[in-house]
Amino acid sequence: MIGFVCLGLWLLLDSHSLQRSAQSSPLGARRTAALTVLRPIVWVGNGTGLAYLGDLVKDALGRPTGGPVVKSTPPVPVASPRARSANGAAPAAPQPAGTPSPAQPALLPLPQPTAAKPLRVLAIGDSIGEDLGLSLVAKLGATGVVQATLDGKINTGLARPDYFDWPGELRTDIARFQPDVVVAMMGANDNQSFLVGGRAVQFGSPEWVSAYTQRVATVMSEATAKGQRMLWVGMPVMPSGGVSTQMQLLNTIVQGQATFHPGVSYLDSWHVFVDGSGKYSVYLPDASGSQQRVREPDGLHLARAGSDRLADWAIGAIQSQFGVRLGS
């Protein structure tokens, strides 16, 4: 009995590493079976916080948590064009994927929303994007001049198009909801190796950066194909230093691509979830100085106070970047 308990505890603590190992294995029945078996284990590990505890222990011991991990560094500034790969070397800078032609016409301004003709906003993303989306939809709906919709899918991202196809999902959403603005937040599940042309490429390698950059560019092009605007919210700081560094690389790619896609703006979320010393914190003061829990017990997801904070920043960015008024 003790042996079974110990085995179960180990599976929960090591569930992220086991899942990423399975994800980076060759496609086939064995990989599918492994991911199927691991899915409920990861769900329980995330829900209890044991999976993130295992990540923290490995990070403290200097062991990888499922993809190459870099131990460095303060958060990458928003303006930084580079991040560092797993072996400590800077990967190739993300290259423009679909750089706009100099002759491309300027985007038409969005009409000012009214109750009769509201601004249509679509929020998409992984489970963290869903956290943001719940607050965003509630706050935008309260303005009386926005019709907001949320499409959140847990355990998704751009690393596994064989598991979930976000460009295809976005095309369907746009046809159905006809949004004027798309707000995206995803990437928490993308710090993993994936297949390119049937061959596994390592997270953070130049090949990985090139492929992921193209996937980000595809989503941005889908979101803005008919003159819509897009606000892509970057990943927040994480409790594990290694995972935070991985998120910095993803943010750098997204921010770089936003500059090459007309109508796309990047919103940094890092500063929303760090304390006065620039470090990860579960609790942060509100405007009155009272401490609020901004992250869930698992350390990764956003508590309601945290998602409300980020939603306020996103609404401010929609107004300032896209020239619309959403309140008095």
Side-chain angles (χ1 to χ4, degrees):
M1 182 64 180
I2 294 176
F4 283 110
V5 171
C6 291
L7 176 61
L9 183 60
W10 171 77
L11 286 172
L12 294 176
L13 288 168
D14 206 40
S15 57
H16 287 168
S17 294
L18 293 171
Q19 184 186 48
R20 287 178 181 132
S21 177
Q23 287 169 336
S24 62
S25 63
L27 294 175
R30 181 177 297 179
R31 178 176 182 270
T32 300
L35 290 171
T36 300
V37 170
L38 287 170
R39 191 167 294 126
I41 296 173
V42 173
W43 184 84
V44 173
N46 288 346
T48 61
L50 287 173
Y52 301 104
L53 176 61
D55 290 347
L56 287 172
V57 171
K58 289 183 180 181
D59 188 52
L61 294 174
R63 298 174 184 171
T65 58
V69 173
V70 183
K71 299 267 182 210
S72 54
T73 75
V76 174
V78 173
S80 173
R82 308 291 287 272
R84 303 196 75 79
S85 69
N87 59 11
Q95 296 299 309
T99 305
S101 164
Q104 187 166 358
L107 293 170
L108 295 174
L110 292 176
Q112 293 301 324
T114 64
K117 293 185 177 180
L119 183 78
R120 296 183 298 273
V121 176
L122 169 67
I124 64 171
D126 56 22
S127 56
I128 296 184
E130 189 172 50
D131 293 341
L132 167 63
L134 289 170
S135 289
L136 189 64
V137 166
K139 286 177 174 286
L140 287 173
T143 66
V145 295
V146 178
Q147 179 182 320
T149 305
L150 170 62
D151 183 7
K153 296 290 189 296
I154 64 172
N155 297 326
T156 65
L158 301 183
R160 288 286 309 283
D162 58 307
Y163 174 72
F164 190 81
D165 176 19
W166 264 115
E169 179 78 2
L170 183 56
R171 282 193 296 274
T172 300
D173 283 345
I174 288 175
R176 179 181 179 185
F177 302 114
Q178 298 291 312
D180 304 299
V181 176
V182 176
V183 179
M185 188 178 190
M186 63 181 71
N189 303 300
D190 287 345
N191 53 340
Q192 58 177 281
S193 301
F194 52 59
L195 298 179
V196 175
R199 184 172 59 86
V201 295
Q202 188 180 49
F203 174 81
S205 68
E207 290 176 286
W208 190 99
V209 169
S210 177
Y212 193 82
T213 299
Q214 183 59 58
R215 295 177 188 186
V216 170
T218 298
V219 172
M220 290 181 177
S221 296
E222 290 286 352
T224 58
K226 296 182 179 180
Q228 305 97 321
R229 306 303 195 270
M230 182 180 208
L231 182 70
W232 195 308
V233 183
M235 284 287 103
V237 61
M238 296 294 180
S240 162
V243 177
S244 286
T245 303
Q246 293 169 340
M247 295 299 104
Q248 291 168 17
L249 174 57
L250 302 183
N251 289 346
T252 299
I253 293 171
V254 171
Q255 184 187 7
Q257 281 306 296
T259 65
F260 294 109
H261 288 77
V264 178
S265 291
Y266 173 79
L267 180 65
D268 165 56
S269 72
W270 205 273
H271 69 283
V272 179
F273 296 102
V274 295
D275 60 18
S277 301
K279 296 181 180 180
Y280 171 92
S281 182
V282 174
Y283 292 90
L284 291 171
D286 62 13
S288 67
S290 299
Q291 293 293 315
Q292 290 183 313
R293 174 181 277 277
V294 295
R295 304 298 280 266
E296 292 288 2
D298 64 13
L300 171 66
H301 292 90
L302 311 182
R304 189 55 185 255
S307 62
D308 282 347
R309 288 179 182 224
L310 188 54
D312 287 337
W313 278 97
I315 292 170
I318 290 171
Q319 296 183 99
S320 64
Q321 297 297 313
F322 306 142
V324 292
R325 294 186 301 273
L326 303 181
S328 55

